[in-house]
Amino acid sequence: MQLYGCKLLCVILTLVCLASSQNSTPAVKTAVYGTTSPWPTGKAITMPTTLLKTAVYGTTPPWPITPTTLLNPRIVDVTASSNTLFDDIYLKCVVQGNPSPNVWWTKNGRYIQGYNIEFQDNNRTLIITRAASDDVGTYYCHARNKVSYVNAPFVLNLTYPLNTFIYTPNDYVELYNGEKDVDIRCFGAGYPNVRVTWKRNGVEILEFSNSSLNTRVYQERLKLGLTSAESDLSFKEFYCNDTGIYTCETSRDGSDYVAAKSIELKCNSSDSSQSTLFTPLSPTTIVPKPTRSLSLSS
């Protein structure tokens, strides 16, 4: 195609020179200017006529089409519709180039496949259905055409909204002075690496361990699954000087935000071995469980 273009240019320049010459014949001028006499006296000419194109290409119509401009592939942007665990996530790769590039995806150096993966828009959109922990990673959008090749990375990190719930019917609990073996449970949801912490007056309560066996007040943490955890605020024996505001905080890695709930502990100085005012709620009737069971990938 480039050869045709060069040939056309050379013929046009030659004929223009001939047409502008004093000795140019009427046939040459007619081929260049596309008119009969009188011919233009200037150097400007019209588009090549049928006679001129036939002289260049040696054929009758249709003549070869002038080639379009070739452009390197370029990835303008890679975006994600969400970064929330269990959401359907659309990764979009915006690509330009001429001819239109072929597009494909890899993750951590491998072609992407899976039961929850599909592609749309000639592979320019990658859909992850109900994104799970093993969908976290570095995705690459690749683009190639006859001119060149390019790729661009996108790091997908997932989170889960923080939430805190204390298993009590009210925002206070009244306990008797000297009451033994009191446990108040707090549930927290979040991702990644959700953590539930009890505090009193902004100070974290000591966690249960071998070194705290002789501690009267402590908390004991329990990891429930990918997005949830619990912590029990425990009193081996409750006294009236333990009254006050206790706060349960849920936090996660990569964020300074915490979801907090508070409860007030009150003391009833009456002589009784156990409170009749505190009935813990059942976790299974309050906290919805995820519909999908997941485990952290290795």
Side-chain angles (χ1 to χ4, degrees), residues 31-93:
V32 173
Y33 297 117
T35 62
T36 55
S37 60
W39 295 287
T41 57
K43 294 184 179 181
I45 64 171
T46 62
M47 291 295 293
T49 64
T50 300
L51 180 62
L52 183 56
K53 286 184 177 180
T54 302
V56 172
Y57 296 115
T59 61
T60 55
W63 296 289
I65 300 174
T66 304
T68 57
T69 303
L70 300 179
L71 298 174
N72 289 338
R74 184 170 75 95
I75 297 176
V76 179
D77 200 8
V78 182
T79 60
S81 62
S82 171
N83 67 339
T84 301
L85 198 69
F86 307 134
D87 273 4
D88 293 343
I89 297 178
Y90 291 71
L91 294 182
K92 292 183 179 292
C93 186

Side-chain angles (χ1 to χ4, degrees), residues 2-278:
Q2 292 178 345
L3 180 61
Y4 284 135
C6 293
K7 187 176 179 181
L8 174 61
L9 179 61
C10 291
V11 171
I12 291 174
L13 291 176
T14 301
L15 292 178
V16 168
C17 291
L18 289 173
S20 61
S21 137
Q22 293 293 331
N23 298 323
S24 175
T25 65
V28 172
K29 289 186 176 182
T30 299
V32 173
Y33 297 117
T35 62
T36 55
S37 60
W39 295 287
T41 57
K43 294 184 179 181
I45 64 171
T46 62
M47 291 295 293
T49 64
T50 300
L51 180 62
L52 183 56
K53 286 184 177 180
T54 302
V56 172
Y57 296 115
T59 61
T60 55
W63 296 289
I65 300 174
T66 304
T68 57
T69 303
L70 300 179
L71 298 174
N72 289 338
R74 184 170 75 95
I75 297 176
V76 179
D77 200 8
V78 182
T79 60
S81 62
S82 171
N83 67 339
T84 301
L85 198 69
F86 307 134
D87 273 4
D88 293 343
I89 297 178
Y90 291 71
L91 294 182
K92 292 183 179 292
C93 186
V94 182
V95 181
Q96 296 176 346
N98 192 37
S100 181
N102 294 322
V103 175
W104 70 97
W105 295 81
T106 60
K107 176 193 171 189
N108 299 332
R110 297 182 179 182
Y111 288 103
I112 300 174
Q113 55 184 347
Y115 71 93
N116 66 329
I117 297 294
E118 61 177 296
F119 299 93
Q120 290 182 354
D121 306 326
N122 293 323
N123 291 343
R124 284 161 170 74
T125 300
L126 186 160
I127 303 173
I128 306 171
T129 304
R130 283 188 59 80
S133 61
D134 52 2
D135 294 314
V136 171
T138 301
Y139 291 76
Y140 276 85
C141 174
H142 304 260
R144 184 192 298 276
N145 64 11
K146 64 190 298 182
V147 183
S148 186
Y149 160 81
V150 69
N151 67 61
F154 183 86
V155 179
L156 179 64
N157 291 313
L158 298 178
T159 63
Y160 192 77
L162 294 175
N163 191 22
T164 301
F165 187 87
I166 300 175
Y167 297 131
T168 58
N170 303 303
D171 57 2
Y172 70 92
V173 172
E174 185 171 322
L175 301 170
Y176 286 98
N177 188 46
E179 186 166 341
K180 299 181 183 300
D181 299 326
V182 176
D183 293 316
I184 302 175
R185 177 161 295 180
C186 179
F187 171 89
Y191 180 84
N193 296 329
V194 60
R195 180 181 174 89
V196 178
T197 303
W198 278 103
K199 293 182 178 181
R200 184 189 185 192
N201 299 326
V203 179
E204 183 173 333
I205 294 174
L206 183 67
E207 187 169 4
F208 177 81
S209 65
N210 290 334
S211 61
S212 64
L213 291 178
N214 295 323
T215 302
R216 184 175 57 83
V217 182
Y218 60 90
Q219 65 174 315
E220 187 170 6
R221 292 188 175 95
L222 175 64
K223 180 75 172 179
L224 297 181
L226 184 67
T227 62
S228 57
E230 290 180 339
S231 183
D232 286 342
L233 173 62
S234 299
F235 297 84
K236 291 182 179 179
E237 194 168 4
F238 178 84
Y239 296 116
C240 286
N241 59 2
D242 294 320
T243 58
I245 303 297
Y246 290 76
T247 302
C248 180
E249 296 180 348
T250 302
S251 60
R252 68 184 177 207
D253 284 356
S255 175
D256 294 330
Y257 173 75
V258 296
K261 294 286 186 180
S262 296
I263 189 170
E264 182 181 5
L265 299 189
K266 299 180 179 181
C267 182
N268 188 328
S269 59
S270 301
D271 184 16
S272 177
S273 60
Q274 187 170 4
S275 172
T276 59
L277 302 179
F278 174 42

